Amino acid sequence: MRVTVVGGGIAGLTCALGLHAAGFAPRVYEAARKVEAVGVGINLLPHAVRELAELGLDGGLASVALPPDRLSYRDRAGRTV
């Protein structure tokens, strides 16, 4: 069966890795000519980290991750909820 993944961002590549682990040979299509860091951070929640760990990416993730030292929720006026 052919499987096409459109988009080579974190979701598309994770999807492709999961499909590969399940025995498929997905083709990933990305519009960007080059995949590179763009200087932004991504907040990964625990369930997302678990999925990446199941794909064998936990070592690489741990080498670049910056765990938060605190978390706060605020409304649009900036007040703590």
Side-chain angles (χ1 to χ4, degrees):
M1 176 193 319
R2 290 186 187 169
V3 179
T4 299
V5 177
V6 179
I10 191 169
L13 293 178
T14 302
C15 177
L17 283 172
L19 288 165
H20 185 290
F24 295 93
R27 291 188 141 228
V28 179
Y29 293 90
E30 171 57 50
R33 293 179 188 257
K34 187 175 177 184
V35 177
E36 59 187 343
V38 293
V40 299
I42 300 172
N43 180 37
L44 296 175
L45 297 175
H47 62 281
V49 173
R50 183 183 65 239
E51 293 297 322
L52 293 173
E54 288 181 11
L55 293 169
L57 300 174
D58 47 339
L61 182 61
S63 71
V64 297
L66 298 171
D69 59 356
R70 70 175 162 228
L71 176 66
S72 65
Y73 293 97
R74 299 183 179 269
D75 64 16
R76 66 175 92 178
R79 295 181 299 249
T80 302
V81 176

